[in-house]
Amino acid sequence: MNEIVITLGQHGLSFFEVLMGALALVGLLLIWLLVSFSRQNHVREQELFDAQQQARAQQAQVEELSRLQAEMTGRMQTMSEIFSSRQSEMAQALTNRMDGMGHRLTQTVTKSLTDQQKATGENLRALHERLAVIDKAQGNITELSGRVVELQQILANKQTRGTFGQGRMEAIIEDALPPQSYDFQFTLSNKNRPDCVIHIPNDNAVLVIDAKFPLEGWTAVKEAANPDEDKAARTRFRNDVKKHIKDISERYFIPGETQDTAFMFVPSESLFADLHEQFDDVVQISHRARVVIVSPSLLTLSIQVIQSILKDARMREQAHIIQREVTLLVEDVMRLDDRVSKLQNHFTQTQKDVDQILTSTGKIVKRGRKIEEIDVSEAELAAIAKELEETANAKQDEGIAEIDKALSAPLAASSQASKAQQGPYGIAGPKPETKSLFGEE
């Protein structure tokens, strides 16, 4: 019993000690199991109590629901009796109303059918008219389709397509520029003949426009059925456009004779947009080669800029005529200012004469008042009054004559000078032999 069985570190344990330790451990385990069992029993009792309380509450609710159901059953029976009585009344009223409505409905339906038949007839007549219009439009569409096919055939041929693009280009240029500002099929010094050249004012070099844009490759791109055909068609189109740009730069760039920039005309706005969107490398090559790709709208805008340049050049050519007309106008204004000054002097002299006449009349009035104060006979007063009246009338007539002479002399001279100097440009316009701003006599 005292024999050492297990050694822990430096301390040895005998069989008895090991047995006692195991018994103590088993006792502790039993105590723990008893405590756990008691706790579980307590929890189960609490849950059982809660379940009983819940069952009592549910039973109370069931009893309350039974009571409410009994009340509801009584109320439903009462309402059923009320509804039964009301239903018979409503059935009678509804029967009466249905009879009246049936009569009115019969009349309304009869009238509606008559109106509907009339409206249907009118709609059918209108439908026939519209079908006739549609048939006519269908004929127009068929005719238009034939024309589109003809246009497609025209564009399929290189020569006729070039003629079509050149026709559009010529129409745009002819509508915007005077005939002396451009030439079609102009022959250069190297024997090449571009489709159109535009003469720039004050510059011997002409602007070249080419209208023969290659469309075969682009047609193949549109008609490609699979990615391989599309790729091959795009490669062909790209090579055709590059070759055409190279041909323009080699044929139409002559130093001193042509401008260092040329226009390549594309007769379609959609093709122009697709070219810039899908073939940017071709557009960059054209920019480096100084060949500008233009659509009908861009060509129109460029022609308007050239038209403004031509107008400015014509204005500069007429600048010396404008300057001479301005000089004559200034001389006329100076002459008019001199004559107005002379007329002002005449008016000043006239004012002085009027002031002198007023002074004389004032003196006469004063003398008349003095005479009134003198006691003389009526005969003497009449003689003196007659003499004074004759003197005043003579002076008045003399003053009026001087005023008329002073006013009429400068006005007559001004009117005569104005008639002698008056021309189509104002007071003193150009002489008959002077040319106008546009070179007409």
Side-chain angles (χ1 to χ4, degrees):
M1 294 291 287
N2 293 326
E3 184 179 357
I4 296 173
V5 179
I6 299 174
T7 303
L8 295 176
Q10 297 179 359
H11 183 71
L13 297 176
S14 64
F15 177 78
F16 180 75
E17 292 176 346
V18 172
L19 181 61
M20 292 301 293
L23 292 174
L25 182 61
V26 170
L28 292 174
L29 181 60
L30 290 174
I31 294 171
W32 179 77
L33 289 174
L34 291 174
V35 172
S36 298
F37 183 72
S38 64
R39 288 181 178 178
Q40 289 179 357
N41 289 333
H42 180 72
V43 171
R44 288 177 182 175
E45 291 176 356
Q46 185 66 31
E47 290 177 354
L48 181 60
F49 179 77
D50 294 338
Q52 291 176 355
Q53 293 292 333
Q54 186 175 3
R56 293 192 187 95
Q58 290 178 354
Q59 186 176 2
Q61 291 178 357
V62 170
E63 292 176 355
E64 182 67 19
L65 288 174
S66 299
R67 186 181 63 80
L68 293 175
Q69 184 177 5
E71 293 179 358
M72 185 64 67
T73 301
R75 292 179 181 179
M76 290 295 293
Q77 290 177 355
T78 304
M79 292 177 64
S80 177
E81 295 175 357
I82 295 172
F83 284 156
S84 298
S85 60
R86 295 285 179 89
Q87 185 177 5
S88 60
E89 295 175 359
M90 289 179 64
Q92 184 65 30
L94 184 60
T95 301
N96 297 332
R97 290 186 180 182
M98 289 296 293
D99 293 338
M101 289 181 63
H103 180 68
R104 289 196 299 270
L105 183 61
T106 302
Q107 295 178 351
T108 304
V109 169
T110 304
K111 183 178 179 182
S112 298
L113 288 174
T114 304
D115 297 339
Q116 187 67 28
Q117 290 178 354
K118 184 177 179 181
T120 302
E122 294 178 354
N123 291 333
L124 288 175
R125 184 168 54 256
L127 180 61
H128 287 303
E129 294 176 355
R130 291 180 181 178
L131 288 175
V133 174
I134 292 173
D135 292 338
K136 184 177 179 180
Q138 183 68 29
N140 295 332
I141 292 173
T142 304
E143 183 180 359
L144 181 61
S145 299
R147 294 181 180 179
V148 170
V149 172
E150 293 177 359
L151 178 62
Q152 185 177 5
Q153 294 175 355
I154 291 174
L155 295 180
N157 187 289
K158 183 175 182 180
Q159 184 176 0
T160 55
R161 187 186 65 252
T163 304
F164 173 73
Q166 184 175 353
R168 292 201 65 184
M169 180 266 296
E170 290 179 358
I172 293 173
I173 293 177
E174 288 176 349
D175 291 342
L177 294 179
Q180 66 273 12
S181 301
Y182 60 87
D183 284 304
F184 297 125
Q185 302 300 324
F186 183 80
T187 303
L188 301 176
S189 60
N190 59 1
K191 304 304 179 181
N192 289 317
R193 300 180 65 185
D195 297 321
C196 177
V197 295
I198 297 177
H199 301 285
I200 306 299
N202 301 323
D203 194 348
N204 295 327
V206 296
L207 177 63
V208 175
I209 301 177
D210 183 90
K212 298 179 179 64
F213 186 82
L215 285 177
E216 294 87 353
W218 183 250
T219 304
V221 171
K222 291 297 183 181
E223 296 177 353
N226 53 64
D228 294 335
E229 292 182 2
D230 182 75
K231 183 177 180 181
R234 289 178 180 274
T235 303
R236 175 189 174 188
F237 177 70
R238 184 178 286 104
N239 293 333
D240 290 345
V241 177
K242 289 180 180 178
K243 183 179 181 301
H244 191 60
I245 293 171
K246 182 179 179 182
D247 292 341
I248 292 175
S249 61
E250 291 177 353
R251 295 177 183 177
Y252 302 142
F253 285 165
I254 303 175
E257 186 176 354
T258 62
Q259 299 288 332
D260 57 355
T261 300
F263 285 174
M264 182 171 65
F265 179 68
V266 179
S268 173
E269 296 287 349
S270 60
L271 174 56
F272 177 80
D274 291 337
L275 184 65
H276 279 74
E277 182 178 356
Q278 303 180 25
F279 298 92
D280 185 67
D281 55 336
V282 176
V283 176
Q284 296 300 327
I285 291 173
S286 68
H287 288 173
R288 289 193 294 270
R290 302 190 306 278
V291 177
V292 180
I293 304 174
V294 293
S295 64
S297 59
L298 286 180
L299 180 61
T300 302
L301 180 61
S302 303
I303 295 303
Q304 289 177 355
V305 174
I306 295 173
Q307 187 178 15
S308 301
I309 295 174
L310 293 174
K311 182 178 179 181
D312 184 65
R314 289 196 300 269
M315 290 295 293
R316 287 198 299 270
E317 291 175 357
Q318 302 294 330
H320 63 284
I321 299 177
I322 296 173
Q323 186 177 6
R324 183 176 61 186
E325 298 297 333
V326 171
T327 302
L328 293 175
L329 182 61
V330 171
E331 291 178 357
D332 291 337
V333 173
M334 293 176 64
R335 191 179 297 110
L336 177 62
D337 182 70
D338 181 61
R339 290 172 180 172
V340 171
S341 299
K342 292 180 180 179
L343 181 61
Q344 184 179 7
N345 293 334
H346 287 295
F347 276 115
T348 303
Q349 184 64 35
T350 302
Q351 184 65 35
K352 290 181 180 179
D353 294 338
V354 171
D355 292 339
Q356 291 177 0
I357 291 172
L358 292 176
T359 302
S360 299
T361 55
K363 291 181 180 180
I364 292 172
V365 171
K366 289 180 181 179
R367 289 178 181 176
R369 289 176 180 175
K370 289 181 180 180
I371 291 172
E372 287 178 356
E373 294 175 357
I374 299 174
D375 187 9
V376 294
S377 62
E378 293 183 1
E380 292 177 352
L381 289 174
I384 293 172
K386 185 177 181 181
E387 183 180 359
L388 292 174
E389 184 178 359
E390 291 176 355
T391 303
N393 290 333
K395 290 185 177 181
Q396 185 176 2
D397 293 339
E398 183 180 357
I400 293 172
E402 290 179 356
I403 292 172
D404 292 338
K405 183 178 180 182
L407 292 174
S408 60
L411 293 174
S414 176
S415 175
Q416 185 176 1
S418 299
K419 291 179 179 180
Q421 298 294 333
Q422 188 174 4
Y425 290 88
I427 296 176
K431 297 179 180 180
E433 64 274 12
T434 303
K435 294 183 178 180
S436 66
L437 297 177
F438 302 97
E440 297 178 357
E441 294 184 355

